[in-house]
Amino acid sequence: MHWFRFFCSQLANKVNNPNNNPHQQKIAGALSTFITLLPLLLILWLFESFIEVNWLWHAFLLYFALGSFGLTRATIKTAKALLAKNTSEAKQLIAPFTLRNTDKLSPLGISKTSIEMHLLQTMQQCFSVAFFYFIFGPYAALTFRLLLEMHYSWNIKLPKYRAFGALVNNLVQILQWLPTRLFVLFIMLGTVGQNSRLFWQLIKQHFFSLNNAISVYALALAIEKKLGGVALYEDTKLRRNSFNDKALEPDASSIVHAVKRVNQVLYFSFLCLIFSSALTLVLTLKV
């Protein structure tokens, strides 16, 4: 995936002409998306006919589709660096995982960035990929992950990709809409006895939005900290929604709390998967 993202970056440098008007850039982005994605998927699909053990091939595809490996470790190390007042190390730890300008971040900015980065990448690269794998199969999971990598490479938060990456951004937002809401549901289940009804009243306004606002808002309420707000991309300030404004700002301990909340969702999802598989097996044996 690292090399695929590098290829996407080089492709954009060749075909994304900043002198073209936005409409031409959108067309170039759409053509780049399909020309990159379709041949690769076709080759993999044709290659399957040479594989004797299909489940092993599917597991291989799932392995490459899944992401966020090492993300939890890096996030926890960032929290430890902040606790040790080592801000420069904390910036270096999160820099490879985010598009934001990390060199100018304060300890507060590092905390917010780490929490949001860990939430979104775990939800997208792990939870959503697994969702597509178990519902639609390995090629759907891999397709989503490749689109996600294109989205990271041509992120519309960067001015030069605002038009070029529009199609990929829309595709990713549409595809992850359902798994994101399922992820948020699991976060809300973890807040039972913690004003969960009030939390739902606050986040439901974002339910039908094609963005990640509802997930960031849900986590902000779950850890009782303020998230969102202004972020810096290529020295350009991007004003975003601020969530849970009445709460305190996050700190290093909030990072650890957020990681535990996100991992709880993964553990609960895994248990649900085991239970549903066992139930299906029992019903099949009875029939």
Side-chain angles (χ1 to χ4, degrees):
M1 288 302 168
H2 171 77
W3 289 109
F4 181 75
R5 195 182 300 187
F6 174 76
F7 168 80
C8 291
S9 299
Q10 295 303 309
L11 178 63
N13 291 337
K14 291 290 185 181
V15 302
N16 183 29
N17 189 344
N19 296 323
N20 291 340
N21 61 55
H23 181 67
Q24 290 174 316
Q25 291 180 11
K26 286 182 180 180
I27 293 175
L31 291 175
S32 299
T33 300
F34 292 114
I35 290 173
T36 301
L37 189 64
L38 294 180
L40 182 57
L41 292 174
L42 181 62
I43 291 170
L44 291 173
W45 180 69
L46 292 174
F47 187 75
E48 185 176 357
S49 60
F50 297 98
I51 305 297
E52 293 291 339
V53 186
N54 279 346
W55 68 265
L56 186 61
W57 173 244
H58 291 173
F60 183 77
L61 293 177
L62 176 63
Y63 173 77
F64 278 98
L66 286 171
S68 75
F69 299 115
L71 181 61
T72 297
R73 181 180 300 176
T75 308
I76 295 298
K77 284 184 177 179
T78 303
K80 291 180 178 179
L82 285 179
L83 287 172
K85 308 296 183 183
N86 194 343
T87 307
S88 59
E89 181 184 353
K91 292 177 182 179
Q92 292 174 1
L93 286 167
I94 65 171
F97 298 96
T98 182
L99 290 174
R100 300 181 192 180
N101 295 128
T102 59
D103 54 331
K104 298 179 181 179
L105 288 177
S106 64
L108 170 60
I110 294 172
S111 299
K112 278 189 176 182
T113 300
S114 299
I115 292 171
E116 295 171 16
M117 170 197 72
H118 185 269
L119 165 68
L120 296 178
Q121 293 196 20
T122 302
M123 184 177 65
Q124 293 171 339
Q125 299 179 20
C126 187
F127 187 87
S128 296
V129 167
F131 172 86
F132 283 108
Y133 178 83
F134 289 109
I135 301 298
F136 301 107
Y139 292 100
L142 186 61
T143 299
F144 176 76
R145 180 61 194 280
L146 293 175
L147 285 170
L148 195 61
E149 290 300 323
M150 292 182 191
H151 170 62
Y152 292 156
S153 300
W154 309 332
N155 201 302
I156 62 172
K157 294 184 179 72
L158 304 179
K160 61 182 177 181
Y161 295 132
R162 194 159 294 154
F164 185 82
L167 176 65
V168 171
N169 176 74
N170 292 335
L171 288 174
V172 168
Q173 297 300 340
I174 292 170
L175 289 173
Q176 73 172 6
W177 187 89
L178 182 56
T180 296
R181 270 65 192 167
L182 186 59
F183 193 92
V184 168
L185 173 62
F186 289 152
I187 291 179
M188 289 292 99
L189 289 176
T191 65
V192 172
Q194 188 187 342
N195 297 321
S196 54
R197 180 175 296 182
L198 174 61
F199 291 171
W200 167 246
Q201 293 296 323
L202 292 172
I203 68 172
K204 70 178 183 180
Q205 60 181 310
H206 299 286
F207 188 81
F208 294 104
S209 301
L210 284 178
N211 52 45
N212 295 308
I214 190 172
S215 57
V216 178
Y217 203 168
L219 185 63
L221 294 170
I223 65 174
E224 299 180 335
K225 296 295 179 181
K226 181 180 177 181
L227 294 177
V230 176
L232 196 64
Y233 296 91
E234 290 189 346
D235 297 323
T236 302
K237 283 188 177 181
L238 180 65
R239 299 193 177 278
R240 309 170 304 149
N241 291 331
S242 183
F243 304 109
N244 203 18
D245 288 328
K246 295 181 179 180
L248 297 174
E249 300 283 5
D251 53 16
S253 60
S254 304
I255 299 176
V256 178
H257 188 192
V259 169
K260 289 180 179 178
R261 285 285 189 174
V262 171
N263 288 344
Q264 281 175 2
V265 172
L266 297 182
Y267 299 148
F268 184 74
S269 304
F270 186 67
L271 289 175
C272 288
L273 178 63
I274 293 177
F275 177 77
S276 60
S277 300
L279 183 61
T280 302
L281 180 61
V282 170
L283 292 175
T284 302
L285 292 175
K286 285 185 177 181
V287 172

